[in-house]
Amino acid sequence: MRTASRLLAHPDFRVSVVRCRDDHTGWSAPEPAGAYGLVLTRRGAFRRAGRDGDTWVGPTVAYLSVPGEEERFAHPAGGDECTSVHLSQRLWRELFDDRPAPGTVHVDGHVDLAHRLLLRDVADPDHAAAERLVRLVGRAAAPVTGGGGPDRRVVERARAALHDDAPEAAGLLPLARALGVSPYRLSRAFQARVGVPLTRYRNGLRVARLLDRIEQGQVRLAELAGELGFADQAHLTRTVRAHLGHTPGELRRLLG
């Protein structure tokens, strides 16, 4: 038996938890993969036959699928629980830049941590989850990234867009497209040059705007959360506490 629960949906990616409770040791009938995707095991293990042959998929092995690829599965371990990431064709091409994607990938500690962190950021699909996702796919598939002068100019243009609250800065993916680079390259280059991830930098700008609003007397936190682009008041509170060590309510008392 197979069930799927969607954690987040974005025009360029979906993340779901997939649970299988099969106990058959033989192979399923061949079926074509329906999407570009990455599957990582959360619990259990299973066998998959794809373009890399017969592979045991478990805590240290994940796989990448492409549409039309013939797949077969077997569940001799009795079942499993996985994170399934589906990517749009556009995002896939931006991440891989026409390079062939491996069928199976090694899950080291960095990939495992990136996977766990992605599952914690579902409240912010445009920035935090998008950045976690491209880092995760980038680490898993080890794409080649650029550097040097062009990256410096890209980062400065990204910072300008974030400071201006430009429409393309509404998410990591549209910002990377507006700058003409892959989201993975932008994410890596930004942290290398600025010293913090793009998402944290953007959140720092939002926290500064929150402080401005509080000093101006605007105290309705639910309204402020929507105005500043947070998913809800709880998301705003978590972000502010992570940056300043105070809740918005404490800041109102400090600055009011």
Side-chain angles (χ1 to χ4, degrees):
M1 182 176 68
R2 180 178 181 273
T3 61
S5 302
R6 185 167 297 180
L7 293 180
L8 67 88
H10 181 278
D12 280 294
F13 57 85
R14 303 194 311 271
V15 179
S16 302
V17 176
V18 179
R19 298 177 178 87
C20 292
R21 294 293 177 265
D22 298 327
D23 59 2
H24 59 83
T25 58
W27 290 102
S28 63
E31 55 185 292
Y36 295 98
L38 169 66
V39 175
L40 302 108
T41 305
R42 303 179 70 184
R43 280 180 282 277
F46 59 96
R47 293 172 65 194
R48 174 184 181 264
R51 64 185 185 280
D52 277 2
D54 179 358
T55 304
W56 183 263
V57 181
T60 60
V61 178
Y63 71 87
L64 290 159
S65 62
V66 296
E69 174 186 6
E70 186 176 278
E71 300 176 302
R72 293 184 297 154
F73 298 92
H75 298 268
D80 54 84
E81 182 175 312
C82 300
T83 299
S84 176
V85 179
H86 285 183
L87 307 176
S88 69
Q89 183 181 49
R90 182 181 184 182
L91 178 55
W92 180 274
R93 289 177 174 173
E94 289 169 342
L95 290 173
F96 288 97
D97 195 25
D98 294 327
R99 292 177 294 105
T104 56
V105 295
H106 174 62
V107 179
D108 62 10
H110 293 294
V111 173
D112 183 26
L113 179 59
H115 174 200
R116 294 170 188 269
L117 291 174
L118 170 64
L119 301 179
R120 295 170 61 90
D121 281 326
V122 296
D124 186 10
D126 286 319
H127 276 275
E131 186 159 21
R132 295 291 190 196
L133 184 140
V134 299
R135 289 292 189 98
L136 172 60
V137 176
R139 280 193 177 279
V144 177
T145 58
D151 280 340
R152 178 185 61 79
R153 291 190 291 272
V154 165
V155 170
E156 293 308 312
R157 290 172 60 198
R159 286 212 285 192
L162 290 166
H163 276 275
D164 294 343
D165 203 17
E168 64 270 22
L172 173 68
L173 305 185
L175 180 57
R177 288 165 185 159
L179 297 174
V181 298
S182 80
Y184 183 73
R185 176 179 168 186
L186 174 59
S187 179
R188 287 291 300 273
F190 195 96
Q191 180 162 353
R193 180 159 182 82
V194 179
V196 296
L198 186 149
T199 296
R200 184 169 179 83
Y201 186 86
R202 183 230 183 192
N203 282 341
L205 292 175
R206 293 198 291 176
V207 170
R209 290 166 187 155
L210 170 70
L211 296 178
D212 289 340
R213 302 295 197 280
I214 291 176
E215 288 185 326
Q216 293 162 8
Q218 191 171 350
V219 295
R220 295 182 179 275
L221 296 180
E223 294 178 3
L224 279 172
E227 179 185 339
L228 296 174
F230 292 94
D232 52 30
Q233 184 175 333
H235 184 204
L236 179 147
T237 298
R238 291 195 303 271
T239 302
V240 172
R241 184 187 289 118
H243 277 256
L244 300 179
H246 295 286
T247 67
E250 291 168 343
L251 293 172
R252 284 188 303 188
R253 290 191 291 272
L254 289 170
L255 300 173

